[in-house]
Amino acid sequence: MAQFDVHRNIGRHRDDIPYVVLVQSSLYDSYRRRVVVPLVKKSALGKVTNPRFNPAFKIENVPVVLHPLEIVSVANEQLGEFVLSLQDSGDVIAAALDELLTQAWR
């Protein structure tokens, strides 16, 4: 597992949230949990008012949107199969998390 890897969501909300993206640094790979952000189907999320905060991707031909407000830690065994890496979009994902964590005063 690597930062920005996309995995299938095997949880109960997988119809609306088919994937999660791993955002945790590899510095913490020895832990038994991973921090992930849901990739919500665009059709389930509705209008995106801030694309910096909610960047869009297409995974396996499914339009999805990063939803940082739903960030969560899951046990390693709760991650579904690896789908693809969003490493090339790592800066976009990090910017969305930065918006969540450090830009609240604007």
Side-chain angles (χ1 to χ4, degrees):
M1 287 180 261
Q3 190 175 41
F4 307 122
D5 279 358
V6 173
H7 292 265
R8 290 195 195 289
N9 179 12
I10 60 173
R12 66 177 185 246
H13 299 291
R14 64 184 167 266
D15 288 341
D16 288 336
I17 306 169
Y19 312 102
V20 296
V21 61
L22 181 73
V23 295
Q24 176 176 312
S25 167
S26 63
L27 293 173
Y28 305 102
D29 280 353
S30 63
Y31 289 86
R32 64 175 199 84
R33 299 186 69 81
R34 294 293 180 265
V35 177
V36 299
V37 177
L39 292 164
V40 180
K41 282 184 181 176
K42 189 166 175 38
S43 59
L45 192 57
K47 184 177 180 187
V48 173
T49 58
N50 184 350
R52 176 179 157 85
F53 185 60
N54 298 112
F57 304 96
K58 192 174 262 191
I59 298 175
E60 296 182 319
N61 251 358
V62 178
V64 293
V65 177
L66 187 78
H67 200 325
L69 287 174
E70 298 291 332
I71 194 169
V72 66
S73 166
V74 298
N76 291 343
E77 60 272 9
Q78 290 179 317
L79 284 175
E81 77 175 293
F82 169 80
V83 177
L84 57 81
S85 174
L86 287 176
Q87 181 67 42
D88 290 346
S89 298
D91 289 345
V92 171
I93 296 168
L97 295 174
D98 184 55
E99 185 88 3
L100 173 68
L101 300 172
T102 63
Q103 301 296 318
W105 62 87
R106 286 188 181 183

